[in-house]
Amino acid sequence: MSNYSRQRKHRSLTAITRHERCFFALLQKRGIGFMIPARIVLAVQDSRYVEPLLNYAYGSSYGSALQVTAFTRMDSFLHYMSSGEVPNLVVGDAEMLESWLSRGDAPVPWLLLSEGDSPLSRMEDGSSTPKYQPLPQLLEVMIACCKRNGGSLEKQNAETTPVIGIVSPLGGSGKSTIAMNMAKQLGVLGLRVFYLNLETVNSSALFPSGSVGMEGSFSRLLYDMKASQELAPRTEVSITPYIVRHHSLKCDSFEPSFNVKEMTEMTLEDTSLLLTSLVSCHHYDAIVVDTEGYMGERMQAVLEQAELLIWVLLDDLISMHKCCVWMDQLELKNTALFGSMKKRSRFIVNRFTGQLVNSLPRKDIGIDDVLPYIPSWKQLHQEELLLSSPIYQREVLKLCQQLLDNSGIRPALAGGG
């Protein structure tokens, strides 16, 4: 096995690290300091040792603090270490480390997983720790080594958590696919993300979270919010008990509600309170909101509160026409809100095939970005493929970088809380 297959499934690190460096460099230019996940190479020949460690690391709070690439074959490990990608720390068994160190590559801090006395453990430029110990303790040792060797940047900025609203003038535009892929890519980069679906019928229900949550927890949360609004003075609602980890999306979320009536009865006040509660808990760097495909009260709350609005268009007459009507109606209804909203908006064309055929809906808006058409999705029968297209993920990652650089969004707590 050239590289541990489960790790490759979790994250294609070699294809993304260049983008990561650009992403964090842009944030550092803006004077934003925060915890960058430490990049660790794990080199252990026993796959039975590697699997439980990775399962625990990515299923726990350590998943946002560490990014681990694991190797169980010597040749693959040595090839990676000579490829120019420099991790914060190499952790391995004696045989793997000896072969790497004997080549005299560029110095990288290393940690030996020792099973007894070893010549490596007595070398001054490395450290050692028992190979077999409680996993939380082992991961803490790795983090301590990274901090000691300058492998992290401490958080300096504590701005409010930004809300990113994904909106569209029509259903079927790929809005939910964009929202989920954006949440996933931000999560893969190490940011602490919450994905909030406000659709009447929740599209993310096709992608089970993999977590054990409260049955009907979102329904219970809606009930608690309505009850809190009837009290005088109004009491704050704690959302923490209702949050679940969505392993497919690499972010937190709520379990989907299948009660359509509850969702249609969700008011502007309910939605505003929910968004405010998520922001005020200070657990997240970004909140990605997937909205309904029509102008209702839930949509109005997002238009009012989101720091960034991403309008999803298709290059066809109906999409452009509906966007024009939406924008015209918003301007007539509330000129001040419309002006504010335009400043916070970016327009992207989804399923772009290389050339824009139709005219833009208004002269005062332009296309800020495009996302590609993926032909294999036309006859899709496996939902998870919507989250695993290398081409689409690459373009969504670029979009995330541009948004974070140009929109003024300031991550509040990268690396988790």
Side-chain angles (χ1 to χ4, degrees):
M1 186 161 53
S2 63
N3 188 2
Y4 188 62
S5 58
R6 186 178 183 86
Q7 169 61 7
R8 281 298 186 195
K9 197 172 181 181
H10 172 80
R11 169 186 171 83
S12 179
L13 185 142
T14 55
I16 199 173
T17 45
R18 294 184 184 88
H19 292 305
E20 284 181 347
R21 286 200 293 271
C22 294
F23 173 81
F24 289 119
L26 290 172
L27 292 176
Q28 286 176 281
K29 279 184 182 178
R30 303 179 66 87
I32 302 170
F34 50 86
M35 182 74 75
I36 298 175
R39 298 205 312 276
I40 291 178
V41 168
L42 178 64
V44 177
Q45 296 183 83
D46 185 359
S47 61
R48 294 171 299 177
Y49 179 87
V50 172
E51 181 172 5
L53 194 155
L54 291 180
N55 282 339
Y56 180 80
Y58 288 116
S60 67
S61 59
Y62 293 98
S64 56
L66 298 173
Q67 295 173 351
V68 184
T69 302
F71 295 91
T72 57
R73 281 184 51 175
M74 182 75 74
D75 56 347
S76 299
F77 166 58
L78 296 177
H79 179 267
Y80 178 85
M81 293 305 297
S82 63
S83 66
E85 298 291 349
V86 181
N88 299 116
L89 181 69
V90 176
V91 180
D93 56 31
E95 186 175 349
M96 294 282 244
L97 290 180
E98 283 174 347
S99 296
W100 165 58
L101 291 171
S102 66
R103 294 167 23 133
D105 291 339
V108 176
W110 55 266
L111 175 68
L112 168 68
L113 298 173
S114 65
E115 299 183 71
D117 190 32
S118 166
L120 276 173
S121 65
R122 294 193 293 268
M123 292 175 64
E124 294 181 356
D125 55 350
S127 304
S128 68
T129 191
K131 183 175 182 179
Y132 298 102
Q133 58 181 296
L135 291 178
Q137 184 175 312
L138 176 58
L139 294 174
E140 289 291 345
V141 172
M142 294 183 189
I143 292 174
C145 287
C146 290
K147 288 182 177 179
R148 187 165 61 246
N149 293 290
S152 63
L153 296 177
E154 294 299 325
K155 171 175 143 349
Q156 298 170 347
N157 182 60
E159 297 286 336
T160 183
T161 303
V163 176
I164 305 173
I166 315 297
V167 299
S168 179
L170 76 163
S173 63
K175 168 180 52 60
S176 294
T177 301
I178 293 172
M180 287 187 283
N181 273 279
M182 181 174 290
K184 178 183 176 182
Q185 290 304 314
L186 291 172
V188 165
L189 284 172
L191 301 185
R192 190 85 164 124
V193 183
F194 192 93
Y195 169 76
L196 175 62
N197 190 295
L198 292 178
E199 296 177 294
T200 301
V201 179
N202 193 323
S203 304
S204 69
L206 291 170
F207 307 89
S209 67
S211 297
V212 179
M214 296 170 55
E215 185 177 353
S217 60
F218 190 65
S219 298
R220 178 67 189 185
L221 175 58
L222 292 178
Y223 173 83
D224 289 347
M225 287 194 306
K226 287 185 180 294
S228 72
Q229 294 176 69
E230 296 173 359
L231 299 175
R234 179 181 295 184
T235 58
E236 185 175 338
V237 178
S238 173
I239 62 170
T240 304
Y242 308 101
I243 293 173
V244 297
R245 182 67 180 173
H246 201 300
H247 297 289
S248 297
L249 299 183
K250 307 292 185 285
C251 65
D252 287 353
S253 188
F254 296 124
E255 286 290 355
S257 172
F258 296 97
N259 191 324
V260 173
K261 186 172 184 291
E262 281 183 341
M263 295 303 297
T264 56
E265 292 178 349
M266 195 171 174
T267 65
L268 172 65
E269 290 74 20
D270 296 334
T271 311
S272 296
L273 178 58
L274 179 58
L275 290 171
T276 301
S277 299
L278 282 168
V279 170
S280 62
C281 74
H282 301 298
H283 289 171
Y284 302 103
D285 303 301
I287 299 167
V288 178
V289 185
D290 191 354
T291 59
E292 190 61 271
Y294 68 90
M295 190 60 66
E297 292 193 48
R298 281 166 283 161
M299 173 69 77
Q300 184 179 343
V302 175
L303 293 179
E304 291 178 357
Q305 292 186 234
E307 280 79 9
L308 177 63
L309 294 164
I310 299 178
W311 293 75
V312 182
L313 306 176
L314 298 179
D315 186 14
D316 62 45
L317 287 172
I318 293 176
S319 175
M320 298 299 185
H321 170 70
K322 287 192 174 184
C323 181
C324 179
V325 172
W326 264 36
M327 301 291 280
D328 290 345
Q329 290 299 310
L330 286 169
E331 187 173 22
L332 288 172
K333 185 177 179 180
N334 191 329
T335 305
L337 175 60
F338 178 79
S340 168
M341 185 196 69
K342 270 197 63 183
K343 294 177 182 178
R344 295 177 280 123
S345 294
R346 289 178 66 92
F347 295 85
I348 66 173
V349 174
N350 194 28
R351 302 172 191 161
F352 185 66
T353 56
Q355 183 178 358
L356 195 64
V357 176
N358 292 278
S359 301
L360 297 177
R362 289 171 57 116
K363 293 181 179 180
D364 58 347
I365 68 173
I367 300 303
D368 297 294
D369 214 326
V370 297
L371 289 173
Y373 171 63
I374 308 297
S376 61
W377 286 355
K378 192 164 183 66
Q379 295 180 322
L380 194 67
H381 63 280
Q382 292 179 294
E383 297 86 356
E384 62 269 18
L385 296 180
L386 290 171
L387 301 176
S388 58
S389 165
I391 297 173
Y392 204 79
Q393 288 184 96
R394 180 191 67 202
E395 296 305 314
V396 170
L397 179 63
K398 290 180 182 178
L399 174 62
C400 291
Q401 293 167 354
Q402 294 167 8
L403 295 177
L404 289 168
D405 183 43
N406 299 327
S407 67
I409 288 181
R410 290 175 164 270
L413 194 61

